Amino acid sequence: MPTTASEPPGHPGTSRDASPASAHRERATPTSACQTPLGNGSSTVAAATNFPSSKRKDMSLLKAIDTNPSFAPRESGPLPERLISGNPAFKTWAQDVARGESIHTGVWEATPGEMRSIRGETFEFCHILSGIVELIPEGGEPVICKAGDSFVMKPGYVGVWKTIETVRKIYVTVM
């Protein structure tokens, strides 16, 4: 299967070629708690007033991920050549893009099904919010991931992504 598929970021089979640049940024230290409840089970970064005035301009560099977005998702499915079984449907709520399209963050959801996952040159961090998936690295042992679990699929990862119970995750991809 090609490793330059144009699937949505956050999809376990997404892969693009790029080299992320690295940069160091000074971190602002809040004067009180960093997160406040929104009332819907998610949280947001504390108001800028909790930061020293010299750091308030840096608030635009903090991005809260809304785990229950109110806007419509992009709907899609697996590439036919990657589908192994089932009829999984995907929803992607892209929430931020940075460094010239090389970093994507958001929330992704998939209904049950099984497909090939090929990372190519893409690094992906995942945090499972709900559901259950089984990851089977090529030549490796199956790993079950459920709500609360986090993992990284490094560039070059090839395996099977099996959604057992509809899964929702936060993703960060770096190409």
Side-chain angles (χ1 to χ4, degrees), residues 5 13-14 20 28-29 34 71 73-75 96 100 102 105 110 113 116 118 127-128 137-138 142 159 163 165 168:
T14 298
T29 304
C34 184
F71 60 92
R74 176 175 182 253
E75 297 187 19
D96 197 40
S102 67
T105 59
R116 299 273 300 149
I118 302 172
H127 177 75
I128 305 294
E138 195 169 70
T163 301
E165 184 180 290
R168 182 176 283 212

Side-chain angles (χ1 to χ4, degrees), residues 126-141:
C126 303
H127 177 75
I128 305 294
L129 298 167
S130 61
I132 302 171
V133 295
E134 180 180 51
L135 304 173
I136 309 165
E138 195 169 70
E141 296 295 317

Side-chain angles (χ1 to χ4, degrees), residues 61-155:
L61 298 178
L62 294 176
K63 176 69 177 167
I65 301 298
D66 184 352
T67 59
N68 245 340
S70 58
F71 60 92
R74 176 175 182 253
E75 297 187 19
S76 62
L79 294 173
E81 62 270 20
R82 293 199 183 173
L83 181 63
I84 296 171
S85 68
N87 187 24
F90 307 148
K91 293 180 180 179
T92 303
W93 291 270
Q95 296 187 31
D96 197 40
V97 177
R99 295 206 183 155
E101 299 279 327
S102 67
I103 301 172
H104 293 255
T105 59
V107 174
W108 182 81
E109 186 176 275
T111 58
E114 190 172 358
M115 65 204 134
R116 299 273 300 149
S117 179
I118 302 172
R119 294 304 334 143
E121 295 298 318
T122 303
F123 170 102
E124 182 175 358
F125 167 81
C126 303
H127 177 75
I128 305 294
L129 298 167
S130 61
I132 302 171
V133 295
E134 180 180 51
L135 304 173
I136 309 165
E138 195 169 70
E141 296 295 317
V143 175
I144 300 288
C145 297
K146 58 189 180 338
D149 291 338
S150 300
F151 57 92
V152 170
M153 290 185 284
K154 290 184 169 187

